[in-house]
């Protein structure tokens, strides 16, 4: 398997190469690069099957690399293993969660590394892979909230389904899995726990947790009875909210930018005028 | 004088012989004040009278003889003039106003007329009832609530209700709004009704068995109390009449006149009697007529005590002509109008003057009530041919037939009046008859006498016509301006001192010598006044001429000086001057053709307008009534104005008897008796100022009717408590009809109104009698109305009506004000709520900020150097011991631990999202605790055992909690509970789900316990302080304020050690 490693930290490069040599003799590192500018011609020339790269390199990020590759007309049909020393919740890395792309955190845990490389070897799905990368790049390029979400479905081989986020009604925890309730009565079953989605989707103002097992798109709520603590969704589903909703959900709805727009220009002006006056 | 005699002696023999009813009375003195020339007695009867004086005077003494002789002489000397008199049919008459169906009456046959205490005249006709306010008729028929259309007016009761009678069906009571009906119990013919002073109504109707009489009192009809009247007489009764004495009634029966009083019946007279005036009272008196055998009638009066003869009448055909004879034998203290032989006569009060006031129109009833107002108020007479209004206030007039169209009047030296008629001949009036003057020679014969005549100081008449100024010296007519081309002298003025008459023509003035040979010269200059018509001229007391035309010119003929007053020099702001008049105080008045009246201000040498624009157009004349009063004329009214107080105004016009319309341009003429002759477009009038009552009568205003949209017109009652007029819901437009009543009602009354709280100011004066109010707000209002005659006079009292407008609030004119106020209030509320919300939001923000701060603090506390370096030392130890695998493993664990801490702190630091969103997954916290405990175990090998129990119901990947709530207690348990213990330490951590939202975490150790830990801390010099739990406690407080329900409970374990339970839930 033709592999290229893009890494500007020598020790990390050594460790990666060491692990590959030790555990995956079939993986053949054909080139190494320490700069994005260096890497692009190499990739175009070598046409690797696997790319292992650090996200932050001196002259750019791996997204820049992919972006430039795309612009250069290269089809990203190869497997990519991202590595980063950064924590998961930085904005850029959140894109990985949306596009269901795994990445390895440094220092590299050998077990996770083996798993990731093994997966790349086993599940070579160039088309799906390209789509996921496309989604990642889209998310990174656009400034607004992500519109699409890649959901890895249950069922062994880890099929990826792309979902329009605004079509999501709500997410329901089912033990360690998550059921996606979408518009038109479509349901998806993901192999990731609900907490996984909540982690990054909760930063989307549309979404809020109404109980430990329910995560709701507020735009798809038809009615909200704060007395009975029941939400009626657009598709007619009734969702029982837990007590915390009183604070969280309500607040979320009020703060949702869409609702703020509904207040109207005049009201907002007055509100601003008077609140500023009082401040 | 001391002697008395019987009045009987005055009564004609024929009468006396028939009746024994006359009572005696003492009236000797009155006898001598009688005007014998009106006292007509036949020759034989006068002789009889004289003789009877001697016969019947029982107390005659010779001392009284001279008086008796005087009486005898007086009687004989007047013998010749005392003759049967034809009724005075002089062509100069009291004015009579006639109203017919043309003016709005429902029918011509007026049966009954009555003037109520407010001055409203009610007319009962055969075609319905009519209400007359002096100007307009308003008619009522069956549809308005009348029982029938043949109506007579009964009267007004003390409460103010006006009663009517419908001959066949019954009585009706009217309050101004509704007719209340009282049906006749037995509908026989000929119902009569009379009202007593207390309002009781005597109703009677004819039956075959005589007249049945009932009393209607307090809405109850009871039979008349006939006690003392034999049944046979009861049956004979034909008519009943009231008297001014309560309980006293007169009856006519077939055989005579009866008086019923104190339950006793007494025969007053025998004969065939009938009641005049339908048995109603005339100033308290009852008039009866007695049919004589010779076909004539005697009119007698019952004054409550006695029955007296007033007059005898006879109408008989003589030589194919109807000869009417009226002998008045008794004066009455009031004017008495009566019908005789189909004409209407007036017997003037305290007089024997009896004259026809309207020929060939039988009268049915006269409104005699001396109702509020003036004695000279119009007297209404219901006749077969409409309603007549007789005015006796000093004005008299000729009929248009007698005097067709007089422009000028002049009196000659023998006291005859000359009338100069337009398109007619000259007329001469000797005080009784009018004759046409035709003896003037051909050269001055004309039908065009429309110029101002004059009598000069020699007593000669100047009678200008189209041929020139014609002078008549009693024998000959001479045309003085014969030689002139322009000789139409519109006005003449005599300057007696200079023996000159100024004749005003179309271009200049001729000064004519009043002495033969009547030489003249033409006064003419180039000023505008003399180039145009000089319309009037007057000579001042000082002898100067004043001419009026275009402006006014003052000409001093001695000095030949002329002073001009006109618009050009701003001394007189009027174009045309029609009249000039010097009053008795020497003030000059100038009447203009369009701008009203001006008064000359000698000090300023200018004319000043007086009485504003009230005077209606042209002012044709000003006359002096008495030293204090002027009579001012405009086109429609005559005003008697007090010079002392110009608010004291009487106003005469069509409404109150001055019948001249469009007064003549040549002004008035004051004769030698002080009478003022007034020409007009209709009749020639003469006013005797002595008879004129100059005290003004105030106007009375009332609101008659309400016109509402979507509702029928509503009359307002004049009796009873005023109610609030309701407007239909949603309607806020309404109009009220108002009217003014009073003897001095002007040709056009002015009204003003206001509505308190809506229109606080009185409105502009309007002559329209309809007050329209639009776009009223909802509520109850009072409309106040007042009236006035004009700027000259006082205002009337105020009439009021309450009305209520109800409608949707948004149609109220003030709705926008209210809406704006409500809007402001709402805005205020919103601002208040926003600010409160904002305060709350800021409070929460503040709390969240504190929580974050404390969380970061907790993390820092947990990631203290002590721990990190110990952990690194552990890794170092593994490397030193060449345990590569273990070293890598520990290193990985440490990196995960550090990452988790960092992540927690990063989320915490994110101020963008709510504090709920800085929660971490329970699985993260578990991993963190596990790694932490593992590290501690690595450092302190075998010091304690650790078990972590997770409720299977719980899914740590879904549950979320605030970061680092549990870990600090784990650290505390290890550091302060387990580490001081040498061995056998155990740590249990258990996580349970209490319910969907509530998580219970138990951290249990079997360490030294809290008490010992505290002692150890106290004894330690620089002991490690666990700030973590302290910070969690603080954080708990704040988190609980913003919605969490976190309870941390620390207790001693029974077997030694400590148990901490952390319950994480939500409110």
């Amino acid at each position: 398997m033709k592999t290229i490693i893009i890494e500007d930290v020598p020790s990390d490069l050594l460790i990666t190469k060491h692990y590959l040599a030790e555990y995956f003799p079939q993986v053949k590192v054909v080139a190494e690069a320490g700069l994005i500018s260096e890497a692009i011609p190499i990739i175009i020339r070598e046409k690797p099957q696997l790319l292992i790269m650090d996200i932050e390199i001196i002259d750019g990020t791996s997204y820049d690399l992919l972006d430039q590759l795309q612009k250069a007309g290269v089809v990203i049909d190869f497997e990519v293993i991202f590595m980063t020393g950064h924590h998961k919740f930085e904005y850029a890395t959140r894109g990985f969660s949306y596009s269901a792309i795994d990445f390895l955190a440094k220092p590299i845990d050998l077990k996770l590394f083996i798993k990731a490389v093994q997966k790349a070897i086993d599940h070579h799905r160039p088309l799906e892979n390209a789509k996921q990368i496309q989604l990642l790049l889209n998310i990174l390029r656009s400034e607004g909230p992500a519109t699409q979400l890649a959901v890895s479905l249950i069922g062994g081989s880890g099929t990826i389904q792309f979902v329009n986020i605004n079509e999501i009604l709500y997410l329901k925890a089912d033990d360690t899995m998550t059921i996606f309730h979408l518009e038109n009565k479509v349901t998806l079953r993901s192999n990731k726990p609900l907490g996984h989605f909540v982690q990054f989707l909760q930063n989307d103002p549309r979404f809020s947790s109404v109980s430990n097992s329910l995560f709701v798109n507020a735009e798809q709520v038809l009615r909200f009875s704060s007395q009975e603590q029941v939400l009626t969704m657009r598709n007619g589903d009734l969702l029982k909210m837990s007590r915390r909703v009183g604070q969280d959900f309500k607040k979320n709805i009020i703060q949702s930018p869409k609702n703020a727009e509904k207040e109207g220009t005049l009201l907002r002006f007055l509100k601003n005028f008077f609140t500023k006056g009082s401040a | 004088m001391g002697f008395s005699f019987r009045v009987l002696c005055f009564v004609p023999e024929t009468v006396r012989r028939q009746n024994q009813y006359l009572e005696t009375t003492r009236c000797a003195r009155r006898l001598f004040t009688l005007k014998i020339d009106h006292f007509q007695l036949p020759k034989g009867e006068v002789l009889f009278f004289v003789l009877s004086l001697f016969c019947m005077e029982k107390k005659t003494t010779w001392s009284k003889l001279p008086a008796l002789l005087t009486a005898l002489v007086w009687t004989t000397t007047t013998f010749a003039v005392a003759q049967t008199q034809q009724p005075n049919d002089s062509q100069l008459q009291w004015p009579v106003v006639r109203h017919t169906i043309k003016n709005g009456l429902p029918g011509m046959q007026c049966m009954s007329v009555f003037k109520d205490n407010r001055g409203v005249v009610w007319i009962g006709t055969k075609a319905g009832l009519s209400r007359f306010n002096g100007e307009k008729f308003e008619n009522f028929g069956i549809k308005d609530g009348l029982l029938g259309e043949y109506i007579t007016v009964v009267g007004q009761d003390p409460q103010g209700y006006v009663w009517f009678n419908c001959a066949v069906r019954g009585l009706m009571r009217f309050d101004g709004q509704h007719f209340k009906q009282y049906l006749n119990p037995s509908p026989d013919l000929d119902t009569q009704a009379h009202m007593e002073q207390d309002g009781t109504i005597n109703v009677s109707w004819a039956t075959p068995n005589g007249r049945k009489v009932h009393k209607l009192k307090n809405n109850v009809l009871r039979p008349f109390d006939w006690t003392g009247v034999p049944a046979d007489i009861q049956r004979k009764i034909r008519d009943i009449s009231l008297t001014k004495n309560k309980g006293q009634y007169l009856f006519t029966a077939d055989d005579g006149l009866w008086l019923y009083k104190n339950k006793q019946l007494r025969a007053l007279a025998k004969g065939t009697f009938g009641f005049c005036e339908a048995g109603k009272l005339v100033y308290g008196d009852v008039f009866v007529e007695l049919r004589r055998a010779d076909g004539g009638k005697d009119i007698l009066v019952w004054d409550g005590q006695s029955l007296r003869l007033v007059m005898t009448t006879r109408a008989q055909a003589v030589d194919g002509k109807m000869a009417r004879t009226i002998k008045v034998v008794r004066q009455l203290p009031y004017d008495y109008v009566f019908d005789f032989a189909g004409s209407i006569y007036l017997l003037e009060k305290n007089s024997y003057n009896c004259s026809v006031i309207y020929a060939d129109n039988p009268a049915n009833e006269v409104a005699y009530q001396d109702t509020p107002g003036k004695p000279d108020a119009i007297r209404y007479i219901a006749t077969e041919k409409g309603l007549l209004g007789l005015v006796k206030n000093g004005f008299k007039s000729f009929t248009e037939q007698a005097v067709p169209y007089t422009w000028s009047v002049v009196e000659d030296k023998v006291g005859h009046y000359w009338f100069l008629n337009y398109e007619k001949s000259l007329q001469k009036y000797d005080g009784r008859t009018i004759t046409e003057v035709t003896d003037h020679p051909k050269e001055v014969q004309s039908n065009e006498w429309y110029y101002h005549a004059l009598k000069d100081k020699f007593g000669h008449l100047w009678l200008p016509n189209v041929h020139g100024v014609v002078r008549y010296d009693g024998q000959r007519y001479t045309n003085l301006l014969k030689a002139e081309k322009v000789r139409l002298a519109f006005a003449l003025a005599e300057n007696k001192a200079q023996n000159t008459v100024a004749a005003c023509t179309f271009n200049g003035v001729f000064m004519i010598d009043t002495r033969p040979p009547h030489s003249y010269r033409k006064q003419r200059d180039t000023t505008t006044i003399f180039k145009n018509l000089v319309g009037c001229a007057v000579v001042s007391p000082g002898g100067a001429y004043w001419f009026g035309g275009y402006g006014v010119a003052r000409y001093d003929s001695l000095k030949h000086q002329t002073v001009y007053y006109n618009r050009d020099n701003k001394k007189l702001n009027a174009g045309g001057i029609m009249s000039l008049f010097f009053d008795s105080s020497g003030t000059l008045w100038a009447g203009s053709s369009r701008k009203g009246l001006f008064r000359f201000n000698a000090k300023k040498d200018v004319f000043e307008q007086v009485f504003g624009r009230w005077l209606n157009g042209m002012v044709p004349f000003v006359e002096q009534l008495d030293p204090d009063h002027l009579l001012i004329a405009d086109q429609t009214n005559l005003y008697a104005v007090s010079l002392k107080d110009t608010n004291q105004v009487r106003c005469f016009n069509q409404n109150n008897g001055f019948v001249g319309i469009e007064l003549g341009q040549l002004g008035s003429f004051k004769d030698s008796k002080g009478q003022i002759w007034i020409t007009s477009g209709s009749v020639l009038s003469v006013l005797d100022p002595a008879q004129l009552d100059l005290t003004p009568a105030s106007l009375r205003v009332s609101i008659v009717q309400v016109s509402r949209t979507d509702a029928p017109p509503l009359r307002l009652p004049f009796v009873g408590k005023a109610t609030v007029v309701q407007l239909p819901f949603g309607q806020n437009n309404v109009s009220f009809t108002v009217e003014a009543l009073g003897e001095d009602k002007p040709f056009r009354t002015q009204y003003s109104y206001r509505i308190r709280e809506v229109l606080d100011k009185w409105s502009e004066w309007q002559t329209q009698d309809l007050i329209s109010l639009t776009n009223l707000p909802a509520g109850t209002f009072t409309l106040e109305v007042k009236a006035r005659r004009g700027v000259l006079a006082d205002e009337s009292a105020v009439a009021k009506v309450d009305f209520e407008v109800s409608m949707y609030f948004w149609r109220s004119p003030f709705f926008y004000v209210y809406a704006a106020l409500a809007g402001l209030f709402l805005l205020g509320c919103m601002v208040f709520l926003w600010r409160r919300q904002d305060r709350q939001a800021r409070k929460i923000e503040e709390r969240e900020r504190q929580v974050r701060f404390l969380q970061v603090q907790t993390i820092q506390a947990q990631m203290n150097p002590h721990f990190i370096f110990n952990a690194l030392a552990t890794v170092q130890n593994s490397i030193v011991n060449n345990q590569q695998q273990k070293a890598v493993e520990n290193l990985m664990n440490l990196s995960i631990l550090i990452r988790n801490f960092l992540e927690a702190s990063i989320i915490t630091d994110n101020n963008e999202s709510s504090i709920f969103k800085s929660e971490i997954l329970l699985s993260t916290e578990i991993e963190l605790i596990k790694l932490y405990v593992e590290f501690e175990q690595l450092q302190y090998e075998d010091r304690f055992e650790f078990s972590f129990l997770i409720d299977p119901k719980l899914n740590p990947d879904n549950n979320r909690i605030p970061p680092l709530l549990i870990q600090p207690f784990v650290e505390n348990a290890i550091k302060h509970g387990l580490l001081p213990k040498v061995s056998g330490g155990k740590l249990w951590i258990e996580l349970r789900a209490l319910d969907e939202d509530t998580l219970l975490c138990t951290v249990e150790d079997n360490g030294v316990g809290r008490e010992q830990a505290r002692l150890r801390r106290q004894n330690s010099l620089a002991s490690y302080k666990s700030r973590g739990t302290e910070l969690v406690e603080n954080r708990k407080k704040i988190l609980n304020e913003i919605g969490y329900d976190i309870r941390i409970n620390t207790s001693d374990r029974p077997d030694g050690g400590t148990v901490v339970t952390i319950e994480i839930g939500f409110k």
Side-chain angles (χ1 to χ4, degrees), chain B residues 440-573:
Chain B
H440 38 276
K442 225 174 189 165
E443 74 246 35
V444 295
Q445 216 158 40
S446 170
N447 274 342
E448 308 290 335
W449 305 87
Y450 51 93
Y451 307 101
H452 193 96
L454 184 93
K455 183 179 82 172
D456 65 20
K457 65 175 182 180
F458 307 110
H460 300 147
L461 296 183
W462 296 58
L463 305 163
N465 71 5
V466 281
H467 300 294
V469 177
V470 179
R471 182 175 171 276
Y472 178 61
D473 58 7
Q475 275 129 26
R476 281 191 323 119
Y477 296 87
T478 331
N479 188 354
L480 299 180
L481 290 181
K482 205 171 164 185
E484 287 296 319
K485 253 189 199 169
V486 179
R487 50 201 185 204
L488 301 172
F490 201 74
L492 300 174
E494 186 191 15
N495 192 334
K496 288 174 182 166
Q498 292 168 26
N499 297 317
T500 320
V501 164
C504 307
T505 70
F506 267 102
N507 55 358
V509 174
F510 294 97
M511 296 295 183
I512 309 170
D513 199 327
T514 52
R515 295 160 302 184
H518 306 301
S519 58
Y520 60 85
R521 63 186 166 81
K522 196 170 181 187
Q523 165 66 31
R524 190 177 176 210
D525 57 31
T526 52
T527 52
T528 331
I529 180 167
F530 293 111
K531 272 200 275 182
N532 290 297
L533 172 68
V534 179
C536 56
V538 74
V539 176
S540 76
Y545 286 100
W546 291 79
F547 299 108
Y550 176 79
V552 171
R554 180 186 180 277
Y555 173 61
D556 187 330
S557 55
L558 296 175
K559 296 176 190 164
H560 293 286
Q561 276 180 346
T562 313
V563 186
Y564 302 97
Y565 303 88
N566 51 35
R567 270 194 185 143
D568 305 336
N569 60 20
K570 289 178 181 162
K571 287 184 169 184
L572 172 59
N573 186 26

Side-chain angles (χ1 to χ4, degrees), chain A residues 154-209:
Chain A
I154 200 158
S157 55
T159 322
I160 300 291
Q161 173 98 30
F162 293 89
V163 172
N164 283 331
I165 293 174
N166 53 15
E167 285 174 17
I168 300 173
L169 292 168
Y170 61 97
L171 278 66
K172 190 171 195 296
D174 182 16
D175 197 14
T176 56
M177 294 173 296
T178 304
I179 303 167
F180 278 70
H181 290 261
L182 308 178
E183 280 178 354
N184 306 320
K185 306 238 170 203
V186 179
T187 51
L188 297 178
R189 199 169 270 262
S190 167
N191 57 6
K192 295 245 167 70
L194 178 63
H196 165 77
F197 296 104
V198 174
Q199 291 274 40
F200 62 92
L201 276 178
Q202 69 175 350
N203 292 293
D204 187 322
R206 287 171 285 192
F207 285 91
S208 44
S209 218

Side-chain angles (χ1 to χ4, degrees), chain B residues 324-509:
Chain B
R324 296 183 176 91
T325 316
I326 299 173
K327 294 182 208 164
V328 180
V329 296
R330 184 178 185 80
Q331 289 181 333
L332 293 172
Y334 40 79
D335 288 328
Y336 180 58
V337 176
F338 61 98
D339 171 74
F340 169 55
S343 291
I344 301 164
Y345 289 79
L346 169 69
L347 174 59
E348 289 178 43
K349 70 174 175 182
N350 300 328
S351 144
Y352 294 98
N353 264 333
C354 187
S355 55
V356 175
I357 57 166
Y358 212 93
D360 302 327
N361 185 2
N364 289 318
E365 195 176 307
V366 181
Y368 275 107
Q369 281 71 17
D370 201 9
T371 44
K374 308 178 69 66
D376 65 356
I378 297 182
R379 168 142 306 133
Y380 287 97
I381 305 155
T383 75
E384 285 290 310
K385 297 179 187 173
L387 179 72
L388 299 186
L390 169 67
V391 193
K392 268 193 72 197
N393 57 2
F395 288 97
K396 279 190 170 184
S397 53
F398 290 97
T399 60
E400 286 186 66
Q401 290 75 30
V403 182
Y405 197 2
T406 301
W407 277 60
S408 185
V409 177
V410 69
E411 185 186 9
D412 65 18
K413 54 187 169 189
V414 296
H416 291 170
Y417 300 99
W418 293 63
F419 304 147
L420 287 74
N421 284 299
Y422 175 73
E423 298 278 343
K424 283 278 174 192
S425 66
L426 271 177
Q427 285 177 315
K428 198 159 86 174
Y429 176 62
D430 60 4
R432 186 166 283 268
T433 48
I434 297 169
T435 46
E436 213 160 288
V437 179
T438 49
D439 61 342
H440 38 276
K442 225 174 189 165
E443 74 246 35
V444 295
Q445 216 158 40
S446 170
N447 274 342
E448 308 290 335
W449 305 87
Y450 51 93
Y451 307 101
H452 193 96
L454 184 93
K455 183 179 82 172
D456 65 20
K457 65 175 182 180
F458 307 110
H460 300 147
L461 296 183
W462 296 58
L463 305 163
N465 71 5
V466 281
H467 300 294
V469 177
V470 179
R471 182 175 171 276
Y472 178 61
D473 58 7
Q475 275 129 26
R476 281 191 323 119
Y477 296 87
T478 331
N479 188 354
L480 299 180
L481 290 181
K482 205 171 164 185
E484 287 296 319
K485 253 189 199 169
V486 179
R487 50 201 185 204
L488 301 172
F490 201 74
L492 300 174
E494 186 191 15
N495 192 334
K496 288 174 182 166
Q498 292 168 26
N499 297 317
T500 320
V501 164
C504 307
T505 70
F506 267 102
N507 55 358
V509 174

Side-chain angles (χ1 to χ4, degrees), chain A residues 88-89 105-107 109 173 175 193-195 199 202 211-213 242-244 247 251 267 274 278, chain B residues 830-831 834-835 848 892 895 899 903 916-917 919 921 955 957-960 995-998 1066-1067:
Chain A
K88 286 190 270 189
F89 297 101
K106 289 180 184 176
D109 188 328
D175 197 14
L194 178 63
Q199 291 274 40
Q202 69 175 350
S211 77
N212 279 334
S213 59
S242 67
R243 276 177 293 169
R244 61 182 296 172
Q247 290 81 36
K251 199 172 167 189
L267 271 176
F274 285 106
S278 69
Chain B
M830 277 165 79
V831 169
W834 283 334
R835 290 178 72 161
E848 290 189 351
M892 286 313 299
S895 73
R899 198 192 322 277
E903 275 171 8
F916 290 97
K917 289 194 173 171
E919 287 178 341
L921 285 177
N955 189 346
D957 277 333
N958 294 338
N959 275 45
R960 293 160 58 78
D995 59 47
E996 168 88 2
D997 286 324
T998 316
F1066 300 91
K1067 277 172 185 164

